[in-house]
Amino acid sequence: MSTSSVSKGCFVFKPSSKKRKTRSLGETCVNGRESSERRFKLCEDLWNKIKAETEVLQEELNKKILDSLLDFAKKCSTTRQHCDWASKMRANEIPTAALVLGVNVPDHDMTFQSLFDLLKHSVTPHVVSVQAKECGVLKHLLKRVLEGLMDVAVDDDDEEEMEQNPRSVHCSLSTLSDWYTAKTKKSSSATPGKKRNVQDEDEHHHHHQTPPVVIIFKDLEGFNPRVLQDFISICSRYIDRLPLMFIFGIATSPSTVQHMLPHSVSSLLCIELFQSLSCTQHLATVIDKLILTAQFPFKLNGKVMQVLISIFLYHDFSVRNFIKGLQLALLEHFHSQPLSILCCKKKEALLNVTLLSGRDLETVRQLPSFIRFVEKQEAGEQVKLMTDDDHLKEACQKLIKDLRKYHKSYYPVLRCLHTLTSLLPRYPLGKQIRELHLICLEKNVWENEDYQSAMNIVNQFKSTVVEHRVENHCSKGGVCVFFPAAVPETVQEEPESVTSPIRNLQQQKKTDLFQLQKTLLEMNESRRSKKKSPFELLRNEVVEFIDGLVTCHLPPPESQTLYEVCYYSSSATVRRHLNATPRTSIQTALSSPCFYLQSLKNEDGTVSNSAPDICIAYKLHLECGRLINLYDWLEAYATVVSAAEGQDPDCDTFGKVDDVKHARFIRSVSELEFLGFIKSTRQKTDHVARLTWGGC
Amino acid sequence: MTGVLHHPGYADEKLQRVEQLIPCRELQAGMLVSLMGQPQHYSYPSIFIYGHRASGKSHVLHILMKELELPHAAVSCVECVSAALLYERVLTSFFGRSAASFLPRSPSLSEFVRLYRHQRSQSPAEQTRYIVMEKAELLRDADANLLPALLRLQELVDDNITVILLSEIVWEKFRPNTGCFEPLLLHFPDYSKGELQQILSTDSHPSYSAELYSSYINILLGVFYSVCRDLRELRHLAALNFNKFCEPLTEGKVKETETHKLWRNIEPHLKKAMQTVYIREVSSLQWEQMQQTEDEGGALRGLSAHTHVELPYYSKFLLIAAYLASYNPARTDKRFFVKHHGKIRKTNFLKKNEKTSNHLLGPKPFALDRLLAIFYSVVDSRVAPTASIFSQISSLVTLQLLTQISHTDQLDAPKYKCSISLDFISAVSRTVNFDIVKYLYDFL
């Protein structure tokens, strides 16, 4: 779901009318098919919401750097028209923006696309972006640029079919320059056709006379330095007629420019550096907005989260892949878990509970978390829960509400705890909030050693330290809440439910903090001699309070009844899909072909003899040492195959090598060689060397 | 004596105008004019002019052609990605656009000559036509027959035409194996300091007196002449720093005549400029902004200051493994990566050619297997050989941190080289707490 709005902000997406229709139909019993359709719908809606959120997020994150780039482009086009001495002396430089985007090149596409659109929309109609793989030689680069800008087929001596095209033009920059002159002359002489805002018209007036020609090099590292040098020196010859501007997309570091271009070429450029947000910060924001929020009912459990984060940190640094992983988990969850029908907004979930079929209810009864819940109930209640469907539905509704309540308080408390612990030296509970989140998902955080040591450190805080921290937070004015400030009030007010005090906290923070600071100071100075100063008392109270909060609200989700509804837990599936292991797959396929070929499966689970030839050869080669005698191998192979064909073991021809078997053997051996399991060796002529050891 | 330039074929006032426009190159221009002879006379078929960057070759030719109104075609060889473009340019500028349209696709040299002859018969040359080719050194990479043909084009097309080649390289490096027609050689020497001063002083700021600008140029040359004699660079530097030079004047602190005070004011800035702007560490725009903000902190970092590259965890180890594979001899792997290797002393381990530092010799190619073997032994945890490990190798290649030696078509046992510096790899290994120096054979 996307919006046509240019401004950023939250957008409300009303559920489409179809859903309401199904809801009214819902009195009837929902059969399996209907339920899966409904789940698919839920899944789709949820994904659309997440996607919309990520798009808004990306836009916001990129906004700063894109805005500064746009300013740069506008500034370049205006200074060109100034006629003062200094800019005239500098006129032969090509303005260039070096945009450093981080090492994950595929992730840049989105940034470049929005940059392209923005430039087209607000600076100049003449924008073209080129990729290294399309531009191996200078001619191709020129061709891409010309085609992109002029929107015509460009003559390229190699291709025959274009010969008939009368509109094709010669592939040189002078063509482009002529075209540009014609274009600008036309647009300045013609009266503006479209009626725009008067203000807008004025503002853009001089841009529109000679709008710059922007060429975006998406991946600078990939370009052949020779091609780039030539292209730049050609461009500099036309700079007086053609207001060119370059944008270099750099994946590694800006010094690449110096490595690629000699001084004679780089002196033709006027390079300005733009550094984008680092991808780890990007990920932190994404996790903050998508994962650490009660907004979306779908959650990942600790292991899945760990898999996704480690793929990001260890392998690709790609935020896009992280979101794809989230999508995969979402799809898998709704596909595999029939109770995911309850994984939606509260109202809908409560309604869906009433629509649960008998089979679904049976599934509920078998959920481990539900069994635990039942065991804690009284005997009469237990029987009721296990037999009475309506009663179970009511209980489910209550449990779903509880789960929502848990989520609502979990995230704010998590943030509070993180704010507190992230101030501590050496970050006992992790520097990033996601680390703390992972710890909390894993088990009871208050039993964690690091947690206890962190609390001890907090207990030893000097008042000055606290003041300092409090001050810091005040000056930042961020969302983070430092507890001491409002704790006295909250303790007295309402220690039970935390969600509301936290909200209060955020509102009261400003004033209270200063007052508290003052009182703290006064208290300290007047009664320093006392054994336990009021500050220490207060501090202990605070720590106890936080401890209480944590034990009350941060138990791992596994402890919650019906958590299976919202949490996706199959980390193995996610890993298998996102982080493929080709060698393991090949070995699995060879050692147990029935894993992939269902038809080979026997009742008793053993591999049938009718496995493909290569599997038999592979199995036999596993029994050999470093060097394999080909003839022995062939003999063994023939025996196995004969048995597979059901020949009588006492028969004369049993295990004899005939032409067909020989050919099949040779083929499977060469296939194994192709896959890299064996290779021919010079040590012994009729032997091959085995290359892999161990494994599955 | 009105000037150095004098020739019966051209009007004196034209020649005088030329002379004003090309300061310090009168001698060379005079030589050229006398070589060209009278307009209607045949001239020498080809002239080869060489001289360093920014020694006025193109400028002199351009002015001569323009002011004397000679029929000419100016072509830059960089731009002519194919010979067809060159032919087209030449035909267009001599006979108009329609002539060029007769050129077939990917024309050969003989087709060009035929077409030229055909056009010439319709509009024969009344005066010498000139083809001026800049950056002629690129002609050496073009078809083998192009350069020899251009040198005797006059003969081939049977027309009054002269080809002038401009290059930064001496003629000896051009001469093809098969021999060719020898052009007339003409050298443009570098400008002397005095000449540079004279030329630079010509583009003075309109709101200040010419004397002031000239004294400014004098100061500028005093700082930069020892490191840079490129006219273009000097002009660029002069333009960038002039505002700073004038600052005390606009503030009214100093009068135009007090050159010493002005010198004291500008000199440190020029020194700073030498370190940053001259080597394009900082772009001219940024330099100007920096001057406006008046050096607060002076924290504007140049391009080369940003060398830090953020990489995924395993990519870092792959890079470390690649570096080790590139700079350690393969025989020493056992010593570094096998636990009980026994003591191998460096002295009896050495082969003759290994005595020199591997870092001086540069990176050596290594096979993928070796890279992975080292990778698995340096990375501290068990890593599954997943597809993303392999894709990281190829993305390191696209980032140009590794270079693939073997052809990309070769799927079997590809070979790589590590193309990063020791500084870079030490920075990377520091972030993962890996002591790379301990594993390098050179530092044993």
Side-chain angles (χ1 to χ4, degrees):
Chain A
M1 230 178 267
S2 61
T3 61
S4 53
S5 168
V6 192
S7 66
K8 59 169 179 166
C10 295
F11 297 96
V12 179
F13 294 102
K14 285 193 176 150
S16 51
S17 54
K18 277 181 205 159
K19 205 183 290 162
R20 262 177 230 131
K21 228 177 267 171
T22 52
R23 206 178 286 170
S24 61
L25 282 173
E27 299 303 315
T28 54
C29 179
V30 189
N31 63 24
R33 187 177 167 71
E34 216 170 310
S35 137
S36 68
E37 266 171 21
R38 197 185 285 264
R39 268 174 8 224
F40 177 67
K41 183 99 188 77
L42 281 177
C43 171
E44 221 176 16
D45 284 352
L46 194 55
W47 169 241
N48 284 338
K49 259 179 229 160
I50 293 178
K51 210 170 95 183
E53 183 84 359
T54 45
E55 272 162 18
V56 172
L57 202 66
Q58 305 271 18
E59 223 165 82
E60 259 170 60
L61 286 173
N62 282 331
K63 194 175 174 359
K64 212 175 134 202
I65 190 160
L66 290 184
D67 280 354
S68 54
L69 260 175
L70 281 188
D71 284 345
F72 175 72
K74 281 177 191 160
K75 200 169 65 188
C76 288
S77 65
T78 47
T79 48
R80 211 185 285 275
Q81 273 129 27
H82 284 213
C83 299
D84 66 322
W85 181 80
S87 47
K88 212 185 285 173
M89 292 292 281
R90 240 193 23 230
N92 56 354
E93 282 183 335
I94 307 173
T96 306
L99 184 57
V100 185
L101 289 167
V103 290
N104 193 285
V105 181
D107 266 21
H108 303 170
D109 278 352
M110 209 151 37
T111 318
F112 279 119
Q113 192 54 47
S114 44
L115 176 64
F116 188 87
D117 293 342
L118 273 175
L119 281 172
K120 241 186 174 159
H121 182 250
S122 64
V123 181
T124 166
H126 315 304
V127 191
V128 64
S129 68
V130 287
Q131 261 177 315
K133 64 177 177 207
E134 306 166 332
C135 314
V137 291
L138 182 58
K139 193 157 58 172
H140 293 165
L141 174 56
L142 278 172
K143 192 175 163 216
R144 288 277 154 221
V145 169
L146 261 63
E147 275 178 349
L149 288 171
M150 297 162 63
D151 204 19
V152 291
V154 173
D155 191 0
D156 173 11
D157 309 330
D158 303 337
E159 283 158 53
E160 292 299 316
E161 74 263 29
M162 280 210 291
E163 201 150 351
Q164 288 87 25
N165 194 343
R167 287 189 64 206
S168 73
V169 288
H170 250 302
C171 176
S172 78
L173 218 58
S174 63
T175 324
L176 182 67
S177 140
D178 292 344
W179 167 83
Y180 181 80
T181 325
K183 192 103 179 165
T184 44
K185 207 178 275 170
K186 208 189 291 168
S187 69
S188 63
S189 61
T191 50
K194 281 180 268 174
K195 275 283 163 203
R196 269 197 242 97
N197 263 337
V198 181
Q199 199 185 0
D200 198 39
E201 186 75 31
D202 279 346
E203 200 179 278
H204 288 280
H205 191 63
H206 55 266
H207 291 314
H208 278 270
Q209 279 185 347
T210 56
V213 176
V214 183
I215 303 176
I216 304 175
F217 296 86
K218 277 187 181 174
D219 42 349
L220 188 76
E221 280 91 350
F223 279 91
N224 182 350
R226 187 80 238 160
V227 170
L228 209 59
Q229 287 161 24
D230 285 349
F231 183 73
I232 291 171
S233 47
I234 294 175
C235 284
S236 78
R237 288 171 53 86
Y238 286 91
I239 190 73
D240 51 337
R241 277 160 283 171
L242 198 61
L244 283 162
M245 185 189 148
F246 294 154
I247 294 175
F248 290 162
I250 298 175
T252 51
S253 71
S255 50
T256 326
V257 177
Q258 290 179 327
H259 294 159
M260 290 183 78
L261 305 176
H263 181 248
S264 60
V265 177
S266 64
S267 66
L268 302 171
L269 302 174
C270 176
I271 301 174
E272 193 154 341
L273 194 62
F274 295 87
Q275 194 114 27
S276 79
L277 206 63
S278 84
C279 54
T280 38
Q281 277 170 294
H282 195 160
L283 179 79
T285 328
V286 166
I287 287 183
D288 199 54
K289 287 277 157 62
L290 295 185
I291 309 276
L292 301 179
T293 167
Q295 189 190 353
F296 303 112
F298 173 71
K299 310 279 171 208
L300 301 173
N301 90 338
K303 282 202 181 115
V304 179
M305 193 66 187
Q306 188 70 59
V307 168
L308 288 183
I309 288 179
S310 60
I311 288 178
F312 177 86
L313 290 178
Y314 287 158
H315 292 293
D316 58 6
F317 267 2
S318 166
V319 176
R320 199 171 65 162
N321 279 0
F322 182 84
I323 293 169
K324 284 265 177 263
L326 187 66
Q327 187 186 11
L328 176 79
L330 184 79
L331 274 173
E332 277 285 328
H333 179 64
F334 278 93
H335 173 71
S336 59
Q337 174 60 271
L339 291 177
S340 60
I341 195 159
L342 304 179
C343 179
C344 48
K345 286 259 177 296
K346 186 178 163 193
K347 260 191 196 164
E348 236 182 316
L350 292 182
L351 194 91
N352 282 343
V353 169
T354 59
L355 303 178
L356 286 180
S357 68
R359 211 172 48 195
D360 290 337
L361 289 174
E362 212 42 55
T363 335
V364 171
R365 284 182 184 124
Q366 277 157 17
L367 290 179
S369 69
F370 189 75
I371 292 172
R372 276 202 299 275
F373 167 73
V374 171
E375 276 163 4
K376 277 184 221 149
Q377 306 298 316
E378 291 165 21
E381 179 74 11
Q382 280 186 5
V383 176
K384 248 183 155 184
L385 280 173
M386 295 313 276
T387 51
D388 187 352
D389 280 0
D390 288 335
H391 185 73
L392 177 64
K393 280 183 185 175
E394 268 171 41
C396 278
Q397 284 188 335
K398 199 181 150 287
L399 290 171
I400 293 275
K401 276 184 201 162
D402 284 349
L403 195 62
R404 283 193 58 76
K405 230 178 254 168
Y406 163 74
H407 281 145
K408 265 193 174 163
S409 53
Y410 177 89
Y411 294 108
V413 175
L414 184 76
R415 275 171 215 276
C416 291
L417 185 61
H418 174 68
T419 313
L420 187 68
T421 54
S422 64
L423 300 169
L424 302 178
R426 278 185 286 128
Y427 313 104
L429 288 175
K431 198 173 177 183
Q432 303 270 356
I433 191 164
R434 60 162 189 261
E435 296 166 57
L436 184 63
H437 180 55
L438 282 178
I439 294 173
C440 292
L441 287 179
E442 214 56 45
K443 55 180 183 192
N444 289 338
V445 63
W446 57 90
E447 287 162 9
N448 192 318
E449 264 177 45
D450 290 331
Y451 173 80
Q452 277 152 10
S453 70
M455 279 307 162
N456 281 338
I457 300 174
V458 175
N459 254 333
Q460 285 152 14
F461 267 177
K462 290 268 162 44
S463 58
T464 46
V465 181
V466 178
E467 275 162 37
H468 184 65
R469 298 272 153 87
V470 171
E471 248 168 48
N472 261 347
H473 281 266
C474 287
S475 59
K476 273 186 204 158
V479 213
C480 31
V481 183
F482 199 77
F483 268 78
V487 163
E489 294 96 9
T490 47
V491 171
Q492 282 151 20
E493 271 171 28
E494 198 184 10
E496 276 180 14
S497 100
V498 194
T499 47
S500 55
I502 284 164
R503 243 173 261 138
N504 290 344
L505 270 176
Q506 288 172 344
Q507 286 156 7
Q508 296 171 357
K509 188 183 62 180
K510 277 272 156 78
T511 50
D512 284 341
L513 285 175
F514 286 117
Q515 281 171 7
L516 181 87
Q517 219 176 314
K518 262 184 216 159
T519 46
L520 275 178
L521 270 173
E522 284 165 10
M523 285 175 187
N524 257 345
E525 278 160 14
S526 58
R527 302 183 214 170
R528 196 169 280 277
S529 53
K530 257 201 168 185
K531 211 176 182 193
K532 272 217 166 179
S533 68
F535 168 75
E536 281 168 338
L537 281 174
L538 186 62
R539 189 183 59 199
N540 289 351
E541 215 174 306
V542 166
V543 171
E544 265 169 42
F545 174 72
I546 294 173
D547 204 40
L549 278 181
V550 168
T551 40
C552 180
H553 294 289
L554 288 186
E558 274 82 358
S559 65
Q560 302 297 312
T561 315
L562 287 190
Y563 80 94
E564 289 94 339
V565 166
C566 293
Y567 283 82
Y568 179 69
S569 53
S570 171
S571 59
T573 320
V574 174
R575 179 176 288 137
R576 203 173 58 232
H577 279 109
L578 295 182
N579 205 359
T581 51
R583 192 180 144 192
T584 327
S585 312
I586 289 175
Q587 275 177 335
T588 319
L590 289 175
S591 54
S592 49
C594 54
F595 188 84
Y596 292 106
L597 301 170
Q598 300 294 330
S599 61
L600 293 176
K601 213 167 235 171
N602 282 2
E603 288 77 36
D604 52 350
T606 57
V607 185
S608 84
N609 288 329
S610 53
D613 293 339
I614 185 172
C615 298
I616 297 172
Y618 175 76
K619 276 268 170 68
L620 291 170
H621 114 283
L622 286 181
E623 293 159 13
C624 299
R626 200 178 73 80
L627 289 177
I628 307 169
N629 185 325
L630 272 174
Y631 190 74
D632 291 352
W633 197 4
L634 173 61
E635 295 262 272
Y637 172 82
T639 317
V640 173
V641 170
S642 306
E645 281 164 358
Q647 282 186 10
D648 183 12
D650 302 327
C651 169
D652 269 356
T653 55
F654 183 82
K656 282 273 153 17
V657 181
D658 59 20
D659 283 353
V660 177
K661 275 179 200 148
H662 195 179
R664 281 165 64 186
F665 175 72
I666 298 273
R667 190 174 69 180
S668 44
V669 167
S670 61
E671 276 171 355
L672 279 179
E673 189 175 358
F674 176 71
L675 290 173
F677 286 97
I678 53 168
K679 73 171 183 186
S680 56
T681 171
R682 279 187 209 152
Q683 291 173 8
K684 284 182 179 175
T685 43
D686 53 349
H687 284 60
V688 288
R690 191 179 157 186
L691 294 176
T692 57
W693 307 94
C696 354
Chain B
M1 180 79 190
T2 48
V4 188
L5 286 185
H6 183 72
H7 197 273
Y10 304 98
D12 268 349
E13 59 265 34
K14 274 188 185 173
L15 284 172
Q16 260 170 34
R17 208 160 51 234
V18 168
E19 203 178 323
Q20 278 162 12
L21 287 168
I22 47 169
C24 313
R25 279 288 172 253
E26 295 88 355
L27 208 67
Q28 284 78 15
M31 179 72 127
L32 262 176
V33 169
S34 46
L35 276 178
M36 281 157 28
Q38 291 189 23
Q40 58 280 14
H41 290 177
Y42 264 56
S43 175
Y44 200 76
S46 48
I47 303 171
F48 181 86
I49 302 174
Y50 69 99
H52 279 153
R53 228 159 85 80
S55 54
K57 304 180 293 288
S58 312
H59 181 66
V60 166
L61 259 302
H62 178 70
I63 294 292
L64 274 178
M65 294 296 154
K66 209 178 90 187
E67 293 298 329
L68 301 180
E69 290 160 6
L70 303 170
H72 71 283
V75 190
S76 168
C77 293
V78 193
E79 234 178 298
C80 298
V81 283
S82 60
L85 273 175
L86 170 68
Y87 304 148
E88 190 202 287
R89 286 276 160 87
V90 171
L91 289 174
T92 314
S93 31
F94 289 149
F95 307 108
R97 240 168 227 293
S98 55
S101 62
F102 290 117
L103 270 176
R105 292 178 65 81
S106 21
S108 67
L109 185 66
S110 58
E111 275 164 329
F112 166 67
V113 170
R114 186 181 54 77
L115 201 62
Y116 191 100
R117 278 169 166 269
H118 176 71
Q119 292 292 335
R120 176 196 56 88
S121 62
Q122 285 170 4
S123 55
E126 282 153 13
Q127 44 180 327
T128 317
R129 289 170 170 149
Y130 296 95
I131 303 179
V132 183
M133 308 200 64
E134 287 175 47
K135 294 207 196 280
E137 56 266 23
L138 289 166
L139 283 177
R140 298 180 300 172
D141 304 332
D143 289 342
N145 63 356
L146 189 58
L147 180 62
L150 283 173
L151 289 173
R152 53 201 315 166
L153 194 64
Q154 193 176 75
E155 202 176 317
L156 281 172
V157 297
D158 193 17
D159 191 22
N160 186 2
I161 189 165
T162 294
V163 177
I164 303 175
L165 302 172
L166 308 181
S167 174
E168 291 172 23
I169 303 178
V170 290
W171 169 246
E172 280 69 31
K173 306 255 176 192
F174 276 77
R175 209 172 275 145
N177 299 336
T178 46
C180 64
F181 184 82
E182 289 286 317
L184 277 180
L185 305 187
L186 190 60
H187 178 52
F188 274 46
D190 285 350
Y191 292 114
S192 68
K193 192 172 178 181
E195 286 171 335
L196 282 175
Q197 159 99 32
Q198 192 189 337
I199 297 167
L200 284 171
S201 304
T202 49
D203 35 45
S204 66
H205 200 284
S207 44
Y208 297 95
S209 71
E211 291 82 48
L212 177 79
Y213 195 78
S214 165
S215 66
Y216 166 65
I217 291 298
N218 198 9
I219 295 170
L220 186 90
L221 279 178
V223 176
F224 282 104
Y225 186 70
S226 54
V227 290
C228 171
R229 297 175 187 194
D230 187 334
L231 180 64
R232 268 193 288 179
E233 279 302 304
L234 285 170
R235 183 178 278 156
H236 172 78
L237 287 165
L240 276 186
N241 294 302
F242 188 62
N243 274 346
K244 195 77 199 170
F245 179 74
C246 295
E247 220 165 59
L249 289 174
T250 45
E251 284 167 11
K253 285 185 200 154
V254 189
K255 270 183 244 150
E256 281 201 16
T257 46
E258 296 172 283
T259 33
H260 187 70
K261 277 188 183 165
L262 286 171
W263 176 76
R264 271 234 300 265
N265 170 52
I266 193 68
E267 215 219 346
H269 287 279
L270 292 181
K271 286 262 164 71
K272 199 169 166 196
M274 186 147 69
Q275 286 160 11
T276 50
V277 195
Y278 171 54
I279 47 174
R280 305 284 161 166
E281 274 282 277
V282 173
S283 75
S284 47
L285 206 67
Q286 283 172 313
W287 177 251
E288 275 182 1
Q289 278 164 2
M290 194 159 74
Q291 286 188 329
Q292 276 161 16
T293 53
E294 203 48 60
D295 303 347
E296 270 162 42
L300 192 68
R301 299 195 300 161
L303 284 180
S304 63
H306 302 265
T307 46
H308 176 67
V309 179
E310 267 187 72
L311 287 170
Y313 189 72
Y314 289 147
S315 294
K316 286 180 186 170
F317 274 105
L318 280 170
L319 209 55
I320 289 172
Y323 192 84
L324 292 175
S326 248
Y327 286 97
N328 281 349
R331 295 181 312 116
T332 60
D333 283 355
K334 206 175 161 194
R335 190 216 168 281
F336 289 117
F337 305 113
V338 176
K339 265 191 187 138
H340 306 288
H341 55 78
K343 279 269 177 268
I344 302 175
R345 304 263 300 280
K346 192 177 179 179
T347 39
N348 36 11
F349 202 62
L350 282 175
K351 269 188 183 171
K352 223 179 209 169
N353 56 351
E354 279 169 6
K355 275 186 186 140
T356 39
S357 157
N358 288 304
H359 279 85
L360 288 180
L361 292 172
K364 294 197 179 60
F366 54 86
L368 179 65
D369 303 351
R370 190 166 163 235
L371 170 71
L372 286 176
I374 297 179
F375 169 69
Y376 286 123
S377 67
V378 292
V379 77
D380 43 7
S381 54
R382 249 189 75 116
V383 191
T386 57
S388 47
I389 294 284
F390 293 101
S391 73
Q392 279 178 61
I393 296 176
S394 50
S395 61
L396 286 176
V397 173
T398 51
L399 295 179
Q400 300 205 323
L401 301 172
L402 299 185
T403 343
Q404 189 160 2
I405 300 292
S406 50
H407 198 266
T408 38
D409 290 351
Q410 191 196 338
L411 295 174
D412 194 29
K415 286 198 165 174
Y416 301 94
K417 241 184 201 183
C418 187
S419 49
I420 49 176
S421 64
L422 181 63
D423 287 342
F424 188 95
I425 198 69
S426 337
V428 167
S429 47
R430 215 174 301 128
T431 59
V432 290
N433 290 325
F434 182 84
D435 189 4
I436 186 131
V437 176
K438 255 168 57 183
Y439 286 86
L440 278 170
Y441 184 64
D442 279 354
F443 301 105
L444 215 59

